[in-house]
Amino acid sequence: MSGDGEQRDGVALTNLDQPLFEGADATKRELVDYLDAVADRIIPNLRERPLSVIRALRGQRPFMQKNLPKYAPSWIPAVRTWAEASHREVTYAVCDDRRTLLWFANQRAVEYHPALLRGDRVTHLVLDLDPPDDGAFGLAVRAARLVREVLTDAGLTGVVKTSGAKGVHVFVPVDGRVTAEEAAAATRAIGARAERLDPALATTAFIREDRGGKVFIDSTRAGGATVVAVYSPRVRPGVPVSFPVAWEDLDEVTPADFTMRTARSLLAESDPWATRMPGPQPLDPDLVAEGRTIPVARVQAMHEGKRRARARRSGA
């Protein structure tokens, strides 16, 4: 059976028994069933946020979709935002309810990447810890503990989840008075302080060739940046899921423990992300002040890349 004719919450579902993507070992029906089962836990992390998704269409390479397609139902809320990187206005979808989530699932949207802004308000700082290779999750865990030490010293508390790929995300909720500029500065300072704690393990070098096999502390996820949502599947073999982990359990898990098939039973009726998330916190002014002295990594990397290209052309 193709699944044509099936509906949930008024959303027509099609081709449910087709393979999800090469290497998934799962069908589109399993994606729909999983997202439907965790809808009440993933939607609070998507609500009122501009949403980008990664879709896996048959016969195509997975791709990130930012603009809401013109054929999308009129009941899907949208927000128009100027994208500085592409110098154009983007119409993002906003996923506030089960019906919208089911529509995206039927569009073969596997990954969900909400912005860190809710409206124009910053809600979290995020440190993305990316180990140098697929077998180095333990290094990402060690780097996460460096970040936690920095947070503690700054009077902050964060929670941690697997990225669903090979790394770890640390989220720090901040209060509504924190501006996007302050959040970006504080994130840079946290990354720099963590790097200083163990420069043999961690680096904030944005240019990959400069990382020297260390864990990359990505402190650029701020403001309008996106990060994969907790409980979101990933377009990777076995369909792993970004999943919350207690700090004390980090040494006992691997990213492969959390997949679209295992996550539902691990959650049962619980929502560990919401349960562990502390309340919004003010930022230490010293943290923000330090961050303002640190160049923005993407801008610095762009200028450095141009400098290196000129040097190569001149034979220097």
Side-chain angles (χ1 to χ4, degrees), residues 127-133 139-140 142-144 146-147 187-220 294 297 300 308:
L127 282 302
D128 179 3
L129 308 173
D130 185 19
D133 60 64
L139 295 179
R142 287 172 54 197
L146 297 180
V147 170
T187 306
R188 292 195 297 273
I190 292 166
R193 290 182 182 186
E195 179 181 24
R196 290 199 296 270
L197 285 176
D198 192 345
L201 169 68
T203 179
T204 56
F206 192 78
I207 299 174
R208 187 176 295 274
E209 64 195 56
D210 293 346
R211 295 177 193 167
K214 301 173 186 178
V215 178
F216 173 46
I217 302 177
D218 185 353
S219 54
T220 66
I294 300 170
Q300 187 180 37
R308 293 183 188 187

Side-chain angles (χ1 to χ4, degrees), residues 141-293:
V141 169
R142 287 172 54 197
R145 292 210 166 93
L146 297 180
V147 170
R148 191 187 192 193
E149 184 177 338
V150 170
L151 293 175
T152 300
D153 288 346
L156 295 168
T157 303
V159 291
V160 65
K161 67 182 181 73
T162 66
S163 69
K166 59 182 179 177
V168 167
H169 294 152
V170 179
F171 272 61
V172 184
V174 295
D175 70 27
R177 293 169 295 179
V178 175
T179 68
E181 185 274 332
E182 290 169 337
T187 306
R188 292 195 297 273
I190 292 166
R193 290 182 182 186
E195 179 181 24
R196 290 199 296 270
L197 285 176
D198 192 345
L201 169 68
T203 179
T204 56
F206 192 78
I207 299 174
R208 187 176 295 274
E209 64 195 56
D210 293 346
R211 295 177 193 167
K214 301 173 186 178
V215 178
F216 173 46
I217 302 177
D218 185 353
S219 54
T220 66
R221 306 296 183 100
T226 66
V227 67
V228 71
V230 67
Y231 306 124
S232 172
R234 304 300 303 267
V235 183
R236 287 176 170 261
V239 202
V241 169
S242 179
F243 204 84
V245 181
W247 283 104
E248 60 271 19
D249 294 336
L250 275 175
D251 287 326
E252 311 301 322
V253 302
T254 70
D257 294 340
F258 311 109
T259 70
M260 199 166 65
R261 289 184 174 152
T262 64
R264 289 171 64 178
S265 58
L266 290 170
L267 287 170
E269 298 304 314
S270 68
D271 184 352
W273 190 243
T275 301
R276 295 183 188 129
M277 186 70 69
Q281 304 159 92
L283 292 179
D284 176 6
D286 290 342
L287 197 67
V288 175
E290 179 179 337
R292 285 174 172 152
T293 70

Side-chain angles (χ1 to χ4, degrees), residues 34-182:
Y34 168 76
L35 288 169
D36 202 7
V38 302
D40 61 341
R41 279 155 279 197
I42 192 172
I43 288 171
N45 299 282
L46 306 178
R47 185 172 288 127
E48 299 176 17
R49 299 177 187 273
L51 178 65
S52 302
V53 296
I54 293 183
R55 297 173 63 192
L57 303 187
R58 295 189 75 195
Q60 296 185 32
R61 292 179 61 85
F63 64 96
M64 177 166 277
Q65 176 181 290
K66 296 179 180 290
N67 265 304
L68 182 65
K70 289 184 169 54
Y71 57 78
S74 60
W75 43 259
I76 294 181
V79 58
R80 296 176 72 85
T81 303
W82 178 258
E84 193 60 44
S86 53
H87 298 287
R88 63 189 176 104
E89 197 168 53
V90 177
T91 301
Y92 290 95
V94 179
C95 184
D96 285 351
D97 56 31
R98 174 181 180 240
R99 182 166 64 156
T100 302
L101 185 65
L102 287 170
W103 184 83
F104 271 112
N106 191 60
Q107 295 294 306
R108 305 176 75 99
V110 180
E111 299 191 12
Y112 296 77
H113 294 249
L116 295 174
L117 294 172
R118 179 166 277 146
D120 59 358
R121 185 170 65 83
V122 178
T123 59
H124 297 82
L125 310 183
V126 174
L127 282 302
D128 179 3
L129 308 173
D130 185 19
D133 60 64
D134 286 342
F137 181 70
L139 295 179
V141 169
R142 287 172 54 197
R145 292 210 166 93
L146 297 180
V147 170
R148 191 187 192 193
E149 184 177 338
V150 170
L151 293 175
T152 300
D153 288 346
L156 295 168
T157 303
V159 291
V160 65
K161 67 182 181 73
T162 66
S163 69
K166 59 182 179 177
V168 167
H169 294 152
V170 179
F171 272 61
V172 184
V174 295
D175 70 27
R177 293 169 295 179
V178 175
T179 68
E181 185 274 332
E182 290 169 337

